[in-house]
Amino acid sequence: MPRTKPKLSALYHLAEQLEGDRDISEPIARARDHAMAEECTGDDVDRLLKWSQQMDKASSTVATVRDSWMRGSFGVALARVIATVLGFSAMAGFLLSSERGLVNVFLFVLLFVILQLLMCLLGIAVIARNMFGSLPPVLPTNPARFLIERSAPGGRDLQEAQSALRLLFLRFGQELGALFTLGAIAAFFIVLAMSDFTFVWGSTFALSDSAVETMTASMALPWSAWLPQATVDSDLIFVSRFHPAVSSIGPSNIEAMRGWWPFLIMTVVVYALIPRILLWCLSMWLYDRELRGAILALPGASRVLSRMRAPIVATQGARDGPDGQSKVSAPRSIDRRILLLNWAGALKADEIDSYVEFQVLADGHCVNVGSGSVQAELKRAAAMLVSPVDHLYVAVKSWEPPMADLADFLSKLSKASRCTLFLVPLASRPVSATSVSDWQHFARGLRFASVDVQRLEQA
């Protein structure tokens, strides 16, 4: 079965649904999601997207996306046209503005090859930092926020989608750069066919003919073997050297100087156009992968998936319900990627199994912290954060306000990419909305790729 290609709008709509799903009672939500499991097939991303569709049908609502000139087929098509026209205009303007029809080869290569290649290298650096490094989120003072508010549905700035958003900008940047280069190539041929141009070279540096020959031969290595017509020989380099003191150029020399154009157009294609296309394809693939990862990292996504997977088994028992049957707990599904931090004794040892959320914990994957030596507790928690542990569960007392020492403690545990704060209720009382709001505000300051806040309900 082919995987669904999610859209950015689906990510933001799903985030809104998951946020609203927090207020649903756990038993009701578990029964609802288990009933949806049969229709939500595919991998985890497909399940979540189909769950989103089922939720829309159940509530008789349709996902709406805010109209904007920055989004939609019209906006994309307009940007593509503008990029192509700009490339055409830049090349045509450069050729037509050349004094006496003498096009400087070095200046041509600088503007339409080297600058483009440097931008491609910058794109590679951004991809590398995005995939293997740590980049700061899009802050309110960042100009990219202007684009996010008009490209992201609802103007939301999800922390989990930062990597995907950067790749989205990079993807469109490479596509527009490739169209710019195509427009420049088209202008090169059109203007060159309609006007007489001569290609010359000259520099304030003391460059010899042999140095220029070596330089052009090195640049032509990728195609010199199968397209020798697009190379520059020593005779052409000799006759096309330009001195400002020369007032006139003979007709025979002018005709020979035009032999630069195959070499110049191949440098644009090989060093500007092809890298742009390759980066465009790479960024599209990475964007799809990061967007799928952002969907799985949304706060509440793992909770919905666990509800779908967990079977509800009904057997005869002493505690019969109205239908003569009793519910028994489903077999445990262990996830060794999760580590529970019991902060300041929020949970008693005999209470952990009474919560459905903690039934996925592997044996020994619970560490008591927040009441002893900070260094010792950090060392013990960090020792547990080895592959494949990447998700922190943190149980906190909901009746106490968030404290800075917890934030400092969690900031030292950078090996985990996800964190979920579980608010433990006091004496079977429900967690108040004020407490949830305070802890959500606290969670926004944590430096994890994904942060979630959930209320605990005893099974």
Side-chain angles (χ1 to χ4, degrees):
M1 178 184 296
R3 298 193 309 176
T4 303
K5 283 197 171 184
K7 297 181 179 180
L8 185 63
S9 57
L11 170 70
Y12 283 86
H13 182 59
L14 177 62
E16 293 175 354
Q17 290 175 316
L18 292 173
E19 187 173 351
D21 191 59
R22 295 175 180 174
D23 299 329
I24 306 297
S25 174
E26 181 64 24
I28 296 175
R30 192 182 307 117
R32 178 203 63 196
D33 294 342
H34 180 75
M36 291 183 180
E38 294 184 0
E39 298 186 16
C40 299
T41 57
D43 62 8
D44 287 347
V45 176
D46 292 335
R47 283 172 170 264
L48 289 172
L49 294 177
K50 291 176 182 178
W51 177 85
S52 176
Q53 296 173 1
Q54 294 295 324
M55 291 291 290
D56 286 336
K57 292 180 181 178
S59 59
S60 300
T61 60
V62 179
T64 58
V65 178
R66 184 181 54 178
D67 293 332
S68 173
W69 62 271
M70 287 292 294
R71 186 174 55 254
S73 57
F74 175 77
V76 173
L78 180 62
R80 289 168 178 164
V81 170
I82 292 176
T84 306
V85 171
L86 286 176
F88 188 96
S89 302
M91 178 63 78
F94 173 76
L95 295 177
L96 295 173
S97 62
S98 299
E99 186 179 357
R100 297 161 56 188
L102 302 177
V103 179
N104 191 308
V105 171
F106 289 165
L107 189 57
F108 180 96
V109 173
L110 173 64
L111 294 178
F112 296 99
V113 178
I114 295 179
L115 287 181
Q116 293 286 336
L117 187 59
L118 289 176
M119 294 180 70
C120 291
L121 293 176
L122 178 62
I124 294 175
V126 171
I127 290 178
R129 285 289 304 276
N130 197 69
M131 304 307 300
F132 307 108
S134 58
L135 288 173
V138 180
L139 302 175
T141 56
N142 194 315
R145 186 176 179 85
F146 175 81
L147 296 176
I148 291 177
E149 291 177 348
R150 286 156 178 78
S151 61
R156 303 182 64 191
D157 182 15
L158 287 182
Q159 185 177 4
E160 299 79 12
Q162 295 294 331
S163 181
L165 285 172
R166 291 188 182 92
L167 288 171
L168 176 65
F169 295 146
L170 184 64
R171 164 191 165 187
F172 281 110
Q174 299 307 319
E175 180 183 0
L176 297 179
L179 291 173
F180 177 92
T181 306
L182 284 173
I185 293 174
F188 183 89
F189 284 109
I190 293 175
V191 176
L192 197 63
M194 298 176 60
S195 305
D196 293 331
F197 287 96
T198 300
F199 296 96
V200 297
W201 67 274
S203 175
T204 56
F205 300 100
L207 292 177
S208 63
D209 293 357
S210 60
V212 177
E213 183 178 359
T214 301
M215 188 187 308
T216 55
S218 300
M219 296 179 66
L221 279 177
W223 66 84
S224 58
W226 56 273
L227 191 62
Q229 297 85 353
T231 59
V232 181
D233 55 29
S234 57
D235 294 337
L236 178 57
I237 293 175
F238 176 77
V239 300
S240 58
R241 183 163 192 165
F242 175 71
H243 298 278
V246 176
S247 58
S248 62
I249 303 175
S252 59
N253 289 341
I254 291 177
E255 190 63 29
M257 292 176 183
R258 292 173 183 163
W260 277 92
W261 77 263
F263 169 80
L264 293 176
I265 203 64
M266 283 302 298
T267 58
V268 175
V269 171
V270 172
Y271 296 109
L273 180 60
I274 293 180
R276 287 284 194 185
I277 295 176
L278 293 177
L279 275 178
W280 177 47
C281 296
L282 177 62
S283 59
M284 281 197 301
W285 178 75
L286 290 175
Y287 168 71
D288 180 68
R289 193 185 76 168
E290 288 299 302
L291 187 58
R292 297 179 71 86
I295 289 176
L296 294 177
L298 284 175
S302 59
R303 186 168 66 248
V304 171
L305 291 172
S306 64
R307 292 172 188 159
M308 290 183 179
R309 296 192 188 100
I312 301 178
V313 182
T315 59
Q316 296 288 344
R319 296 175 59 188
D320 292 339
D323 56 354
Q325 294 181 336
S326 63
K327 302 290 184 180
V328 298
S329 59
R332 293 180 63 186
S333 176
I334 303 301
D335 192 343
R336 296 187 177 274
R337 297 170 301 176
I338 301 175
L339 174 65
L340 172 63
L341 301 180
N342 185 20
W343 182 258
L347 289 170
K348 296 180 181 179
D350 57 351
E351 290 181 337
I352 296 179
D353 290 337
S354 64
Y355 294 101
V356 176
E357 289 81 357
F358 301 145
Q359 293 179 0
V360 298
L361 291 173
D363 293 337
H365 278 228
C366 177
V367 180
N368 295 316
V369 293
S371 55
S373 169
V374 175
Q375 295 299 328
E377 291 179 345
L378 275 174
K379 185 176 180 180
R380 189 167 66 254
M384 296 291 296
L385 284 176
V386 294
S387 181
V389 173
D390 61 357
H391 192 169
L392 284 180
Y393 279 6
V394 184
V396 297
K397 299 175 182 178
S398 62
W399 60 92
E400 294 184 356
M403 303 298 291
D405 54 347
L406 175 58
D408 294 339
F409 186 89
L410 294 177
S411 66
K412 303 296 192 302
L413 305 178
S414 58
K415 289 185 178 180
S417 60
R418 303 172 60 188
C419 178
T420 301
L421 299 173
F422 287 98
L423 309 185
V424 180
L426 174 62
S428 300
R429 298 176 184 175
V431 180
S432 66
T434 302
S435 297
V436 174
S437 177
D438 291 341
W439 282 99
Q440 286 177 343
H441 179 75
F442 170 82
R444 295 189 189 102
L446 299 180
R447 300 180 63 181
F448 294 96
S450 172
V451 184
D452 190 13
V453 177
Q454 297 185 24
R455 305 176 184 178
L456 279 180
E457 296 183 18
Q458 288 187 336

